[in-house]
Amino acid sequence: MSESAAASQRLAFFQSQLQNAPCAAEEPKIKTTMESMTEERQKATFDVKELTYFLDGGEKFTKIREKFMLELERDPTFRMYDMYDVTKDQIRERTMEKFRTIVHYVSAEPVPIFTMRMQTISLIDPGFWTRFGVHYGLFFGALRGSATSAQFSHWVSKGALALNGMVGCFAMTELGHGSNVAGLETTASFDEASDQFIIHTPTITATKWWIGGAAHTATHTVVFAQLIVRGKRYGTKSFVVQLRDTHTYKLMPGINIGDIGKKMGRDGIDNGWIQFTNVRIPRTNMLMKHTKVSRAGEVKEPPMAQLTYGALIQGRVAMVVDSGNIAKKAVTIAGRYAAVRRQFSSNPHDVQETKLIDYAIHQYRLMPLLAQAYAFHFTGVETNKLYDDLMDKLESTQPDDETMGEVIDTLKETHATSAGLKAFCTWSTLSAIEACRQTLGGHGYSAYTGLATTYNDFAVHCTWEGDNTILTLQSGRYLVSCYREALAGKSQPEGVSYLNHLDSLLNLGCGVKTNEEILNFDVIQEAWGVVTANVVKKAGDDFEVSLKAGMSPETAYEECSQARLAAAKIHSFGYIFRRFAQAVKSAPEKLQPVLTKLCLLYGLYSIEQNAGFFLQYRYFTPSQMDYVRGQVNVFCREVRQEYIPLIDAFNYSDYMINSPLGVYDGNIYEKYFDQVKRQNPVGGEHPYLPLIQSLLRRDIEDDEPLEDDDEDDE
């Protein structure tokens, strides 16, 4: 080969190498947080808007909710961006400012639409939702549920409905009594001579406590007090008492009121204490829809005291619904952050750090919470329907109707179901909020991320409207009662239908031929039926053992309290799974694949968390349980692929989320930094400069260096 030919060949070789060498422009691009979020949304295999319509109950209701969100965002009284920095007094003042805006809608909108409006408000300002709800949900609700038609009309004419002329509160709990309503100490003694009741606080523990709206707002209250007529006690009844003069706002004679002070959350509510010192009210101020006291002092008790339970159910149902809504908000913040936050690298060849959401352990932390949020949503929808059906039956049925027995059974079921679900869902949601907060890492400790405040505001759900432990025990008591009735041959309602098949369920094992067959709604539902039947049987058998040992029924129930708690908990798991599965089956066909994954994840994860029961009662073998655990991880990976579209379907605007880490576009760092700077301006006057200066410039009398200690050298 000639020298020139060899040179040409070497030149061609170098040119080819240069052409094949990667240039700087071709290097993998570093994605911004917004590009990362867009990437996630492109993974959707379903129509996000169609899922939103399904969750909301139809396009019509989605449009209504969007209208509410926009109205709130544009209303200056509902500004929320600075809520994390305002004082207790500022929050309370703002809360009252909102009353004038919202009270207009009470009479202007149908009840179902206004209820949707308040549900929307509860997501962004739970303090106002509660303070407004104290008047309409508790005070006005007590009038509607416990007053005669004539009494109800009287109080409406006084302004109870229009919130014009009076503001109400609800004085039930006392310093010494909460869940034990029957043990309340406040008395209402009938004075026949004057045809009046005397409302009195006999002890410090009888002081009404935690009364929302009492400290500064309420002019009237519904008081729960022990009815005493001619020295005989007839139990706790309700009475309307005026607290303040509606013009001067001065306390009425015999009324003492104070503020109970700073709380864990919901500072927009002015919770207070009330003491009554021989306060006289007309006899007709006793709400007499059920128990009646005549002018002559004759007491007429209702033929069926159970009918009074209906008033307790509404608040518990509302908290089941609220649990789903708040859970959706929490997983939205945590999920959007995880989709754009990058940390470390799971692949050494990646040019960019790995998204949190791509780590298997992070998927295990978040995906089951997303599935649970969906489960609680559908459970809330069904529980609302159950309550509405019950109230329709109660209003249309008379005590002497042939169907009254069936209505009473429905009332008992709804009362027990709502009690158990209220406890289960609020406990679980509170835990979920904290779990989501922790997934934010160090940023989760900032108030601006929203979850710390959400936790503080939501925690009260676990103790008001019935302490969760007490409500769970009530639910367990109902299950024991149903179990005993089933043994006696009485058919049980749908909610506890597994008790109708005790003979076939108690010793049933999983009969699948392959592990893959476990991934079936019917199999999982059967699994929960078998385990729940056994756990309820354990509680029922423990109760019977205690009875045979000579204990009274009340003592026997207390003796089996741990078994009742376990029974109610397992029953709730199975109940919620059934509601979720029913919702999936009723969903539009194109939505069923993704909802099926979510439902299976919820069912399998719940089984994994309660594996001991499924192994103890031998429904699953150890190898089948291993398969269940493995499939939880599989479904976590599958649900992860569409996590962002699934939370987008909740359709919460950035205003409603109120967290820079949960913004829709994924621009979390700029939004977070902007909020920090807006709420904490740089360059302002130092808040405690003199203290720092006095520390640094103080005179130190003994500034001589310490002498060496020579003892160690000796």
Side-chain angles (χ1 to χ4, degrees), residues 590-639:
K590 292 181 179 179
L591 297 178
Q592 289 188 11
V594 69
L595 290 177
T596 296
K597 292 177 185 178
L598 274 174
C599 189
L600 287 174
L601 174 57
Y602 178 76
L604 295 173
Y605 180 79
S606 300
I607 289 172
E608 181 191 25
Q609 296 301 299
N610 296 278
F613 288 109
F614 291 88
L615 293 171
Q616 176 184 351
Y617 296 113
R618 299 182 180 180
Y619 184 81
F620 286 129
T621 65
S623 63
Q624 288 173 330
M625 188 55 65
D626 284 341
Y627 177 78
V628 168
R629 289 193 178 97
Q631 287 303 300
V632 169
N633 292 329
V634 170
F635 279 104
C636 280
R637 287 195 297 271
E638 292 189 9
V639 170

Side-chain angles (χ1 to χ4, degrees), residues 210-403:
W210 284 113
I211 311 306
H216 305 294
T217 311
T219 61
H220 292 71
T221 187
V222 169
V223 178
F224 277 61
Q226 297 288 345
L227 172 62
I228 302 174
V229 179
R230 297 173 183 170
K232 181 179 178 180
R233 290 178 175 253
Y234 289 88
T236 305
K237 311 301 175 187
S238 50
F239 306 80
V240 179
V241 180
Q242 185 169 351
L243 301 175
R244 293 178 170 93
D245 185 289
T246 57
H247 297 289
T248 66
Y249 245 71
K250 291 184 178 180
L251 295 177
M252 300 297 288
I255 303 289
N256 288 316
I257 292 178
D259 192 328
I260 67 168
K262 180 73 175 175
K263 307 183 295 292
M264 183 175 177
R266 302 195 186 220
D267 280 326
I269 315 161
D270 55 327
N271 295 86
W273 56 264
I274 309 173
Q275 289 182 335
F276 305 93
T277 305
N278 298 317
V279 176
R280 289 180 172 269
I281 61 172
R283 175 179 56 85
T284 52
N285 276 29
M286 174 182 168
L287 301 181
M288 299 191 195
K289 183 176 183 178
H290 304 293
T291 300
K292 295 175 172 57
V293 177
S294 70
R295 175 68 182 84
E298 296 175 346
V299 180
K300 184 178 180 181
E301 296 276 41
M304 294 185 178
Q306 302 100 317
L307 294 177
T308 61
Y309 291 167
L312 299 174
I313 297 173
Q314 183 179 16
R316 295 168 184 174
V317 171
M319 277 181 276
V320 175
V321 174
D322 200 44
S323 293
N325 290 337
I326 295 297
K328 289 185 289 185
K329 181 175 181 177
V331 297
T332 297
I333 295 171
R336 286 180 176 165
Y337 179 77
V340 300
R341 170 74 169 187
R342 295 178 182 272
Q343 192 159 278
F344 304 111
S345 179
S346 59
N347 186 337
H349 300 294
D350 288 344
V351 298
Q352 195 166 7
E353 290 178 287
T354 302
K355 294 177 180 179
L356 290 183
I357 201 171
D358 283 330
Y359 286 104
I361 192 62
H362 210 81
Q363 294 169 9
Y364 189 78
R365 295 171 75 184
L366 274 185
M367 303 307 134
L369 298 182
L370 174 64
Q372 178 180 266
Y374 269 86
F376 287 1
H377 170 87
F378 291 122
T379 300
V381 171
E382 290 304 313
T383 307
N384 243 337
K385 291 179 181 177
L386 190 67
Y387 171 74
D388 289 341
D389 290 344
L390 169 66
M391 297 312 293
D392 288 343
K393 290 179 181 178
L394 287 176
E395 291 177 5
S396 61
T397 307
Q398 298 301 317
D400 56 351
D401 287 354
E402 294 181 359
T403 58

Side-chain angles (χ1 to χ4, degrees), residues 99 102-104 106-107 114 118 130-142 144 159-164 168 314:
F99 265 74
I102 300 303
V103 74
H104 159 75
V106 174
S107 56
F114 182 72
M118 292 305 295
T130 304
R131 194 167 181 180
F132 198 80
V134 163
H135 177 88
Y136 282 106
L138 296 180
F139 176 77
F140 190 74
R144 186 171 52 192
L161 175 60
L163 199 67
N164 187 7
Q314 183 179 16

Side-chain angles (χ1 to χ4, degrees), residues 87 89 117 136 142 180 235 253 295 304-305 311 314 338 394 405 439 504 514 558 616 635 655-656 698 712:
T87 66
D89 290 341
R117 180 182 291 278
Y136 282 106
N180 184 16
R295 175 68 182 84
M304 294 185 178
Q314 183 179 16
L394 287 176
T439 67
S504 59
T514 64
E558 181 59 31
Q616 176 184 351
F635 279 104
Y655 166 79
M656 299 299 296
R698 72 190 187 282
D712 293 340

